[in-house]
């Protein structure tokens, strides 16, 4: 007996577990009071902007559904019914679910159905798409399945779009690959059955047929009321981006106002996309542009490499000098007058010096000799300054560092995303090349921060090396080092280069 009670407890636990799973998978429908909110927050997806949302019919025919099992269609979206939107909720325990809305039918749908229509419900709005195509996923479901297939009770719906580039009003709700509108009579167990999903366990008198029921999807049977539905149908159409189009979805009973039908749109599936062939073409153009850019960079790199090779083969050559600004005649006259005044003053000091008695002279020999040396140095400097000077081509002072200096550091900047140099930077590098030429035992290290394309970095390094060689440096004195002496310069940190010149250890 204890074993039996234990098995009974396990059975109870399994029943409760299955019941909780079924409850979790249950379809729910939330009523809608503001159709515009439903459209903007549920129906439309990426790249779509809507305006002028309008609804016609009984508001209870419109709802927002949630379907955790996602069987046999999608997990959430909008339902538009000829009866109550909430009546799609299962289980399928009624073979003839019906609510008479009392709203008028639709004359366009009457032409499709081939009979008078009733209980119409319509949702429409204007929209703009960001890209060149729009897609939408939907299903059509009805309680008319399967008993009234082929009859005049041919419940019907339409998804209509119009606007620039579209001829008239285009109905998107057609059997795939055809122009036949989707109705009870066009997709069912007999016609286009590959697009049909059966959910009808009843015989013609409304009794459950157990053998038929056993072959149905039990999750759908437990959670969805209507007896049949299409499989998920996906449609798309071309648009002109950012132009205004009009969209409408309408559903009606046909033949009479009883036994409901509904259309369900997948949430967020009304979205803007770029056609694959256009996306592929755009990618091909981008790839070609990249390839062309690499070719151009390679041509420049090859040209610089040839120039450097030619310079290296020359060995030594005359460095390029940066000329000083010429000295004007007025400046020379002023300098001469100033120097002459200093010489006259020094001459007077020499005339006075012999009259000084030995006792009045400085008693410290070192101090006396120091004063005399300063006087002699001043006279020599003044005389040298008075020597004739070629004003047309003034000499350039050597750029040798002082004896105490062991390192020179410089930072240059490139234009963003470019590899060439401006005139002032070229002069700066030429001057550094002169310094290398004057100090044959010194070496130059070039640092280029990471963050740019590798080919671009190599190109920049070769340009810097070329300018240093043009200034007089030797290729063997220049190398690419891996550390930085400067702090990053904000957004331009990847555009700078650092050059240090130091005595070779």
């Amino acid at each position: 007996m204890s074993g039996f009670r234990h098995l009974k407890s396990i059975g109870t636990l399994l029943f409760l577990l299955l019941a909780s799973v079924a409850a979790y998978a249950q379809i729910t429908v939330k009523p809608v009071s503001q159709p515009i909110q439903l459209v903007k927050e549920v129906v439309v997806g990426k790249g779509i902007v809507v305006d002028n949302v309008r609804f016609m019919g009984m508001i209870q025919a419109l709802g927002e559904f949630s379907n955790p099992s996602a069987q046999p269609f999608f997990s959430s979206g909008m339902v538009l019914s000829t009866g109550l939107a909430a009546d799609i909720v299962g289980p399928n325990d009624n073979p003839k679910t019906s609510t008479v809305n009392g709203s008028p039918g639709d004359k366009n749908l009457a032409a499709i159905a081939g009979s008078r229509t009733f209980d119409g419900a319509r949702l429409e709005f204007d929209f703009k798409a960001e890209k060149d195509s729009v897609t939408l996923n939907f299903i059509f479901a009805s309680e008319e399945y399967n008993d009234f297939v082929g009859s005049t009770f041919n419940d019907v719906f339409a998804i209509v779009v119009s606007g620039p580039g579209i001829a008239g009003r285009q109905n998107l709700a057609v059997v795939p690959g055809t122009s036949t509108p989707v109705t009870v009579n066009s997709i069912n167990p007999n016609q286009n059955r590959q697009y049909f999903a059966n959910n009808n366990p009843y015989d013609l008198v409304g009794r459950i047929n157990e053998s038929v029921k056993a072959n149905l999807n039990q999750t759908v049977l437990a959670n969805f009321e209507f007896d049949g539905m299409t499989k998920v149908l996906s449609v798309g159409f071309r648009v002109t981006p950012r132009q205004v189009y009009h969209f409408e979805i309408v559903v009606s009973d046909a033949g009479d106002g009883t036994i409901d039908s509904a259309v369900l749109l997948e949430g967020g599936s009304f979205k803007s996309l770029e056609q694959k062939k256009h996306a592929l073409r755009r990618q091909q153009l981008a790839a070609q542009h990249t390839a062309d850019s690499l070719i151009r960079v390679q041509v420049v790199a090859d040209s610089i490499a040839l120039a450097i090779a030619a310079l290296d083969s020359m060995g030594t050559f005359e460095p390029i000098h940066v000329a000083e600004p010429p000295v004007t005649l007025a400046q020379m006259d002023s300098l001469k007058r100033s120097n002459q005044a200093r010489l006259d003053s020094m001459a007077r000091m020499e005339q006075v010096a012999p009259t000084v008695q030995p006792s009045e002279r400085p008693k410290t020999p070192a101090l006396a000799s120091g004063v005399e040396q300063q006087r002699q140095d001043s006279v020599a400097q003044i005389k040298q300054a008075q020597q004739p000077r070629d004003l047309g081509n003034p000499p350039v002072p050597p750029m040798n560092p002082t004896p105490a200096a062991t390192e020179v550091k410089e930072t240059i900047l490139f234009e963003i995303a470019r590899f060439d140099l401006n005139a002032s930077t070229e002069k700066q590098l030429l001057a550094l090349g002169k310094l290398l030429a004057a100090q044959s035992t010194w070496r130059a290290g070039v640092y280029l921060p990471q963050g740019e394309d590798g080919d671009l970095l190599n190109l920049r390094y070769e340009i810097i090396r070329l300018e240093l060689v043009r200034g007089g440096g030797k290729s063997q004195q220049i190398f690419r080092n891996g550390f930085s002496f400067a702090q990053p310069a904000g957004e331009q940190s990847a555009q700078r280069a650092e050059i240090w010149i130091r005595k070779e250890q």
Side-chain angles (χ1 to χ4, degrees):
M1 290 294 291
S2 62
F4 175 77
R5 287 195 298 269
H6 180 66
L7 290 174
K8 185 176 180 180
S9 299
I10 293 175
T12 303
L13 180 60
L14 289 174
F15 174 80
L16 293 174
L17 180 61
L18 291 173
S20 64
V21 171
Y24 171 77
Q26 182 72 44
I27 293 176
T28 58
V29 175
K30 184 168 65 175
V32 172
S33 59
Q34 296 294 331
I36 186 172
Q37 184 177 2
L38 176 69
V39 171
K40 289 186 175 182
E41 297 182 2
V42 177
V43 176
V44 302
K46 184 178 180 181
I48 298 290
V49 177
V50 300
D51 195 11
N52 299 325
V53 178
R54 297 180 294 277
F55 174 74
M56 287 159 281
M58 185 175 71
I59 193 62
Q60 289 84 351
L62 184 65
E64 175 187 352
F65 73 85
S66 175
N67 177 27
S69 72
Q71 295 186 45
F73 38 90
F74 15 78
S75 59
S76 64
M78 182 198 86
V79 54
L80 186 67
S81 175
T82 63
L84 299 177
D87 281 347
I88 67 169
V89 177
N92 187 357
D93 55 6
N94 185 346
K96 301 290 187 291
T97 299
S98 181
T99 297
V100 177
N101 285 338
S103 55
D106 184 276
K107 64 179 182 179
N108 294 320
L109 292 185
I112 294 174
S115 60
R116 187 180 176 186
T117 58
F118 305 86
D119 292 347
R122 175 193 300 270
L123 179 68
E124 58 184 310
F125 52 85
D126 297 329
F127 72 92
K128 293 180 181 180
E130 178 182 343
K131 298 183 178 179
D132 65 10
S133 298
V134 174
T135 63
L136 177 66
N137 300 331
F138 65 91
I139 69 164
F140 173 66
S142 180
E143 283 283 73
E144 301 283 4
Y145 292 118
N146 296 322
D147 302 342
F148 299 98
V149 169
S151 71
T152 58
F153 304 112
N154 185 25
D155 288 4
V156 64
F157 80 109
I159 298 175
V160 179
V161 64
S162 59
I166 298 176
R169 291 162 46 85
Q170 180 182 353
N171 181 19
L172 305 175
V174 295
V175 178
T178 76
S179 58
T180 304
V182 175
T183 66
V184 169
N185 286 347
S186 64
I187 295 181
N188 52 60
N190 305 319
Q191 299 289 326
N192 298 304
R193 61 187 302 172
Q194 69 271 29
Y195 304 118
F196 179 72
N198 187 28
N199 193 45
N200 183 17
Y202 301 100
D203 59 22
L204 291 177
V205 296
R207 293 177 299 194
I208 290 181
N209 184 323
E210 294 296 340
S211 62
V212 173
K213 179 180 178 181
N215 292 321
L216 299 178
N217 184 319
Q218 300 303 304
T219 300
V220 178
L221 188 65
N223 293 291
F224 195 69
E225 171 61 49
F226 285 9
D227 289 346
M229 66 208 75
T230 67
K231 294 180 180 178
V232 176
L233 301 177
S234 298
V235 296
F237 55 96
R238 291 288 305 278
V239 296
T240 301
R242 294 174 291 280
Q243 293 294 310
V244 178
Y245 288 80
H246 188 71
F247 177 87
E248 59 186 77
I249 180 168
V250 56
V251 62
S252 290
D253 288 330
D256 63 15
T258 62
I259 307 183
D260 297 340
S261 295
V263 58
L264 290 79
L265 305 185
E266 181 180 11
S269 68
F270 190 92
K271 57 188 176 183
S272 175
L273 299 174
E274 184 177 36
Q275 287 198 30
K276 289 184 178 179
K277 63 179 182 181
H278 295 149
L280 179 61
R281 178 58 179 162
R282 179 172 50 78
Q283 292 170 3
Q284 290 173 341
L285 291 174
Q288 185 62 48
H289 177 73
T290 301
D292 292 344
S293 298
L294 291 176
I295 290 174
R296 288 193 295 270
V297 170
Q298 189 59 49
V299 168
V300 176
D302 292 344
S303 300
I304 291 178
L306 290 173
I308 290 177
L311 290 173
D312 291 346
S313 67
M314 293 172 62
T316 60
F317 58 93
E318 184 65 26
I320 295 177
H321 296 291
V322 179
E324 292 181 344
V327 179
T328 64
L329 293 175
Q331 290 174 329
M332 287 295 296
D333 292 340
S334 176
L335 182 61
K336 288 180 179 180
R337 288 194 297 271
S338 175
N339 289 339
Q340 187 60 51
R342 293 177 62 189
L343 285 174
D344 294 344
S345 176
M346 295 297 297
R348 286 193 296 273
M349 290 177 61
E350 290 178 352
Q351 294 174 0
V352 174
T355 63
V356 179
Q357 298 299 323
S359 60
E360 297 175 354
R361 293 173 183 249
K363 294 184 172 136
T364 305
L367 180 60
S369 62
V371 172
E372 178 62 21
Q373 184 62 44
Q374 290 179 3
R375 185 188 66 79
Q376 293 177 4
D377 291 343
S378 297
V379 172
Q381 290 175 3
I382 293 172
K383 289 181 178 180
Q384 182 180 1
Q386 288 187 317
Q387 293 298 319
R389 187 175 186 186
D390 183 2
L391 299 180
N393 186 20
V396 179
M399 293 190 62
N400 298 336
T402 61
T406 59
E407 185 175 72
V408 175
K409 298 179 180 179
E410 294 286 349
T411 300
I412 67 171
L413 291 178
F414 290 89
E415 296 293 332
I416 294 178
R418 294 176 60 88
F419 54 81
D420 51 350
L421 302 169
N422 58 40
S424 62
T425 304
E426 287 183 359
K427 290 182 180 179
Q428 186 179 3
L429 289 173
L430 291 173
L432 292 176
K434 287 186 59 181
L435 179 59
L436 278 177
Q439 301 291 332
S440 60
T441 61
W442 286 39
R443 303 181 68 194
V446 179
Y447 169 77
L448 290 162
Q450 298 300 311
E452 293 283 0
D453 178 79
D455 291 336
L456 184 60
L457 290 179
N458 293 334
L459 203 56
R460 287 179 172 177
Y461 169 70
E462 294 299 343
I463 288 175
I464 292 172
R465 191 164 79 97
L466 175 62
E467 294 301 324
L468 293 176
V469 170
R470 289 179 64 219
K474 303 297 185 295
S475 292
Q476 58 267 28
Q477 290 180 273
I478 306 163
F479 66 97
R480 189 169 179 172
N481 64 311
F483 68 89
S484 168
F485 61 75
Q487 294 296 323
E491 295 182 357
Q492 291 188 342
S493 60
Q495 314 300 326
R496 78 179 192 277
E498 302 166 14
I499 302 100
W500 56 253
I501 301 177
R502 63 168 56 153
K503 288 182 179 180
E504 188 172 9
Q505 302 297 324

